[in-house]
């Protein structure tokens, strides 16, 4: 068999590299070596000479500055009893991207959180592209620890504070509430938010890439706790006032009510109760009507409780000496086509009798004898057209009309408490001038170290004279007799005001009021009671509001150890003799 010839092997060598190719090769190798040298030099520089750069980059990925929550200041009553306190709680959060997909772990986490598994999974899915989501806010430390003990990856904690209100609904509107972030939202919590909140601190910590705390390094700034707020409120009196007000509102099936009690010597608010109310510790199903502090932010026509204040202005004119008599027959009169009525024809009445019988005709006839609007001027001097200045959010300013041309009907209406609007707090503050020999005291929601300087508004002799007239109003056989307090003298005035609606005054809707000062010999308390729209046959101030005053004032005077100034039975015998 013949074989194929093998190819001849060439004995030629490859041609030598051209001089230009050798040069390019050397250049490339030189560049590579120089680059490696520079890189090595930079590595040496960063690790030996300039370590701060790498340290900074590492720190930027592990060092964090966390906030240290500040403890919110406490709110207490005048004796130091807590009304609002902050307790430590724990908020659990998670990085959804680090949470495990394992169904068992998810189920354990949901059960520990007290949540539905499907709802938890849906939330995790919704936040899947983020690095933060809340799991549960403001848990007790014990409950939070049970969740953390599961050691579920991606679950973390944060220390916070939660507000707690020991008095609950009893003083809810005045104190107000904070939100879930412990920021004041209503009432004094809102008014004093910067003072109560304090200043959070800052600390530097080391965390791993999952956000877990590795080590505390240093405190950059200590947290500064908020300041404590001491109110003028006496919690003992507040509980008692709220109980009596609530009982009266329930008994008369009323829409609501307010009670304001001032210290007659200082203007401090010793009690301020509102109905309806709410539980600030559990706001589930909260009725917004209960949030309003009606005693400060609501205004209303006060009616006959203004007559003593108007009488003080009339007496100061000097035109009505002590023996003045007004003929109120036949019990009604027409002014500017408006008909003014008394409950009945009282005939001739003394000035004190006009207040005792609460005669609209008597007040109107006295007022129309004057040429100057002294009554509205007195109301303004008493602060009834300006905010009380307590600092409470939304406090009402009231309204006293000032038309360019006064009509007779306007003058007359103001004298018996119609045509203006006031708040319960303004009304109580105005009566400090009657209780303090003509010196009006501004109301204070905070405890005062010293009584403020009063503003002279009424002639001292006139103020004392009106106080004596009011003393005669609260007597055994008067319409205000239910405001009497056994053992103590009481100066008071009732009021029954027809409520106004969109089409004018309503036929069967009233506000029942009583203003009382006790004891007359040395005034200690000024109390305003207003019951809004009592239903049933009893709607007069003397029948609805006066009994509330009697119970509250009587208990308060005994709690404060005020000595009795009138022996029971002496007043009745004296009245019988007259």
């Amino acid at each position: 068999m013949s074989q194929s010839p093998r190819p001849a092997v060439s004995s030629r060598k490859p041609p030598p590299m051209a001089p230009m190719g050798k040069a390019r090769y050397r250049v490339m190798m030189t560049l590579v070596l120089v680059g490696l040298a520079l890189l090595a030099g930079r590595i040496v520089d960063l690790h030996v000479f300039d370590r701060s750069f790498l340290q900074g980059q590492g720190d930027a990925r592990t060092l964090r500055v966390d906030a240290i929550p500040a403890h919110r200041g406490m709110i207490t009553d005048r004796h130091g009893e807590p009304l609002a306190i902050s307790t430590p709680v724990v908020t659990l959060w998670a990085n959804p991207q680090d949470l495990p997909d394992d169904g068992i772990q998810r189920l354990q986490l949901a059960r520990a959180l007290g949540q539905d598994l499907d709802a938890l999974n849906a939330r995790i899915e919704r936040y899947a592209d983020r690095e933060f989501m809340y799991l549960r806010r403001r848990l007790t430390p014990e409950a939070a620890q049970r969740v953390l003990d599961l050691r579920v990856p991606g679950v973390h904690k944060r220390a916070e504070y939660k507000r707690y209100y020991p008095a609950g609904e009893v003083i809810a509107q005045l104190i107000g509430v904070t939100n879930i972030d412990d920021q004041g939202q209503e009432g004094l919590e809102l008014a004093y938010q910067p003072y109560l909140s304090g200043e959070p601190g800052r600390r530097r910590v080391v965390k791993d890439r999952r956000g877990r705390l590795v080590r505390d390094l240093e405190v950059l700034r200590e947290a500064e706790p908020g300041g404590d707020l001491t109110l003028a409120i006496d919690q003992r009196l507040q509980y008692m006032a709220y109980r009596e007000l609530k009982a009266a509102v329930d008994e008369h099936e009323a829409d609501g009510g307010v009670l304001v009690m001032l210290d007659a010597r200082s203007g401090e608010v010793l009690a301020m109760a509102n109905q309806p109310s709410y539980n600030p510790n559990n706001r589930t199903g909260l009725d917004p009507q209960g949030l309003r502090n009606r005693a400060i932010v609501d205004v209303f026509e006060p009616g006959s409780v203004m007559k003593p204040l108007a009488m003080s202005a009339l007496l100061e004119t000097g035109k009505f000496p002590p023996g003045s008599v007004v003929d109120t027959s036949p019990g009604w009169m027409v002014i500017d086509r408006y008909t003014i009525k008394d409950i009945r024809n009282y005939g001739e009445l003394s000035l004190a009798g006009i207040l005792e019988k609460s005669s609209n005709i008597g007040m109107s006839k006295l007022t129309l004898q004057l040429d100057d609007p002294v009554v509205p001027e007195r109301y303004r001097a008493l602060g009834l057209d300006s905010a009380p200045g307590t600092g409470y959010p939304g406090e009402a300013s009231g309204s006293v009309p000032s038309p360019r041309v006064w009509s007779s009907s306007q003058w007359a209406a103001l004298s018996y408490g119609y045509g203006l609007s006031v708040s319960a707090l303004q009304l109580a503050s105005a009566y400090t001038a009657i209780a303090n020999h003509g010196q009006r005291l501004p109301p204070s929601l905070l405890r005062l170290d010293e009584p403020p300087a009063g503003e002279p508004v009424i002639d001292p002799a006139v103020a004392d004279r009106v106080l004596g007239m009011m003393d005669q109003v609260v007597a055994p056989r008067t319409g205000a007799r239910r405001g009497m307090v056994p053992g103590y003298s009481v100066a008071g005035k009732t009021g029954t005001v027809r409520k106004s609606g969109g089409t004018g005054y309503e036929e069967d809707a009233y506000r029942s009021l009583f203003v009382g000062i006790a004891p007359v010999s040395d005034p200690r308390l000024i109390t305003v009671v207003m019951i809004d729209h009592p239903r049933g046959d009893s709607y007069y101030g003397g029948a609805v509001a006066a009994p509330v005053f009697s119970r509250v004032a009587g208990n308060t005077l005994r709690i404060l150890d005020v000595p009795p100034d009138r022996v029971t039975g002496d007043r009745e015998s004296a009245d019988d003799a007259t």
Side-chain angles (χ1 to χ4, degrees):
M1 179 182 293
S2 61
Q3 296 181 347
S4 301
R6 294 180 178 177
V9 177
S10 174
S11 59
R12 292 183 303 172
K13 295 180 179 180
M17 183 179 294
M20 192 65 182
K22 291 182 179 180
R24 184 180 296 110
Y25 176 76
R26 292 192 185 97
V27 169
M28 293 299 297
M29 290 299 296
T30 300
L31 291 175
V32 170
L33 292 175
V34 169
L36 291 174
L38 291 174
L39 182 60
R42 181 57 176 162
I43 292 173
V44 172
D45 180 59
L46 291 175
H47 282 78
V48 178
F49 302 106
D50 189 14
R51 301 182 60 186
S52 61
F53 175 78
L54 287 181
Q55 185 69 42
Q57 293 297 308
D59 289 347
R61 290 160 174 78
T62 59
L63 283 183
R64 296 288 186 271
V65 175
D66 278 358
I68 303 175
H71 187 277
R72 191 174 180 86
M74 182 185 299
I75 300 178
T76 69
D77 82 337
R78 65 187 302 108
H79 301 297
E81 293 297 325
L83 299 174
I85 56 178
S86 291
T87 57
V89 292
V90 176
T91 284
L92 297 178
W93 64 277
N95 183 343
Q97 300 177 14
D98 292 338
L99 289 174
D101 294 327
D102 180 68
I104 299 298
Q105 285 188 304
R106 288 276 184 96
L107 178 60
Q108 291 176 334
L109 178 61
R111 287 178 175 175
L113 292 170
Q115 298 177 2
D116 179 74
L117 176 61
D118 293 337
L120 177 62
N121 286 332
R123 289 185 63 239
I124 295 174
E125 182 66 26
R126 190 163 63 250
Y127 288 90
D129 58 344
R130 304 183 188 179
E131 296 183 354
F132 179 90
M133 64 173 280
Y134 284 117
L135 293 174
R136 270 295 287 278
R137 297 292 303 270
R138 303 199 297 185
L139 287 167
T140 63
E142 296 78 14
Q145 191 58 48
R146 287 195 292 270
V147 178
L148 294 171
D149 288 343
L150 296 175
R151 300 187 179 278
V152 177
V155 176
H156 311 283
K157 70 176 182 177
R158 185 170 72 187
E160 291 182 330
Y161 288 100
K162 178 182 179 181
R163 207 63 160 163
Y164 175 67
Y165 303 95
E169 66 182 53
V170 171
I171 196 171
Q173 292 86 358
L174 179 61
I175 301 298
V177 292
T178 59
N179 61 14
I180 197 169
D181 294 315
D182 216 23
Q183 302 294 308
Q185 300 295 295
E186 299 282 346
L188 295 177
E189 292 276 30
L190 174 60
Y192 290 91
Q193 165 62 23
Y195 175 77
L196 290 167
S197 62
E199 188 69 28
R202 291 160 58 84
R203 63 174 181 171
R204 182 177 283 118
V205 299
V206 176
K207 293 186 177 182
D208 64 15
R209 69 182 185 86
R210 295 182 180 273
R212 293 174 296 195
L213 180 67
V214 176
R215 186 170 73 251
D216 259 317
L217 294 182
E218 60 178 326
V219 175
L220 302 177
R221 185 181 67 218
E222 293 284 356
E224 297 181 11
D228 292 338
L229 201 63
T230 303
L231 304 189
I233 292 292
D234 187 321
Q235 187 171 232
R236 301 169 301 172
L237 309 183
Q238 179 69 26
Y239 271 99
M240 182 260 298
Y242 179 81
R243 181 187 68 236
E244 296 296 343
L245 179 69
K246 188 176 189 299
V249 169
D250 292 343
E251 177 186 355
H252 297 282
E253 300 179 355
D255 289 344
V258 299
L259 185 150
V260 176
M261 180 191 297
L262 301 187
D263 186 321
R265 297 176 173 179
S266 65
E268 294 171 295
V269 178
L270 299 178
M272 179 177 285
N274 284 270
Q275 274 291 302
S277 190
Y278 69 100
N279 183 359
N281 298 310
N282 182 6
R283 285 165 251 173
T284 304
L286 171 66
D287 181 2
Q289 293 292 328
L291 284 171
R292 224 169 55 246
N293 190 343
R294 298 167 180 240
I296 298 181
V297 305
D298 280 11
V299 295
F300 51 87
E301 280 185 313
S304 294
V305 293
M306 299 301 295
K307 288 173 181 173
L309 302 177
M311 183 66 76
S312 72
L314 299 174
L315 294 178
E316 276 195 33
T317 64
K319 293 187 176 182
F320 308 104
S324 299
V325 174
V326 178
D327 186 2
T328 65
S329 298
W332 60 272
M333 62 187 296
V334 178
I335 306 177
D336 296 336
R337 297 178 297 177
Y338 294 99
T339 301
I340 301 172
K341 298 180 180 179
D342 285 340
I343 295 177
R344 62 180 63 90
N345 181 9
Y346 293 117
E348 291 186 348
L349 291 175
S350 66
L351 300 183
I354 290 174
L355 293 186
E356 178 188 332
K357 301 299 184 183
S358 197
S359 173
N360 295 339
I361 303 300
M363 292 300 300
S364 298
K365 286 190 173 183
L366 290 174
T367 302
L368 294 177
Q369 293 183 44
L370 305 176
D371 297 325
D372 298 319
V374 296
V375 171
E377 289 174 0
R378 173 54 47 82
Y379 291 166
R380 293 191 191 92
L382 291 168
L384 297 179
D385 67 340
S386 57
T390 62
Y392 189 90
E395 62 179 1
S397 298
S399 175
V400 178
S402 56
R404 293 182 179 178
V405 179
W406 285 90
S407 67
S408 297
S409 59
Q410 286 176 313
W411 281 28
L414 285 175
S415 71
Y416 55 84
Y418 279 80
L420 75 157
S421 59
V422 301
S423 70
L425 181 61
Q426 285 180 303
L427 188 58
S429 178
Y431 268 93
T432 60
I434 301 295
N436 284 284
H437 311 292
Q439 301 276 330
R440 186 180 79 87
L441 301 174
S444 176
L445 299 175
L446 305 183
R447 190 187 67 187
L448 303 176
D449 294 328
E450 296 291 338
E455 177 188 2
V457 177
I458 304 174
D459 179 89
V462 170
D464 293 345
R465 184 178 170 189
V466 172
L467 183 64
M469 291 180 178
M470 294 175 65
D471 185 14
Q472 298 180 46
V473 169
V474 187
R477 294 184 302 277
T478 67
R481 63 186 179 277
R482 293 182 178 87
M484 296 175 64
V485 177
Y488 297 92
S489 56
V490 173
K493 185 68 189 77
T494 61
T496 307
V497 188
R498 194 180 296 275
K499 293 183 65 172
S500 60
T503 59
Y505 290 104
E506 301 177 18
E507 284 297 322
D508 298 315
Y510 300 89
R511 289 189 178 93
S512 305
L513 292 103
F514 187 87
V515 177
I517 301 172
V520 176
S521 58
D522 183 16
R524 295 289 303 276
L525 306 174
I526 298 171
T527 305
V528 172
V529 180
M530 189 276 287
I531 306 297
D532 186 15
H533 194 185
R535 290 167 174 80
D537 296 333
S538 296
Y539 58 84
Y540 288 107
V544 176
V548 179
F549 167 84
S550 176
R551 293 189 290 269
V552 171
N555 290 331
T556 297
L557 292 170
R558 287 185 284 272
I559 289 173
L560 299 181
D561 290 327
V562 177
D565 67 339
R566 179 169 288 162
V567 179
T568 303
D570 287 356
R571 176 68 180 277
E572 191 167 354
S573 299
D575 289 333
D576 290 339
T578 58

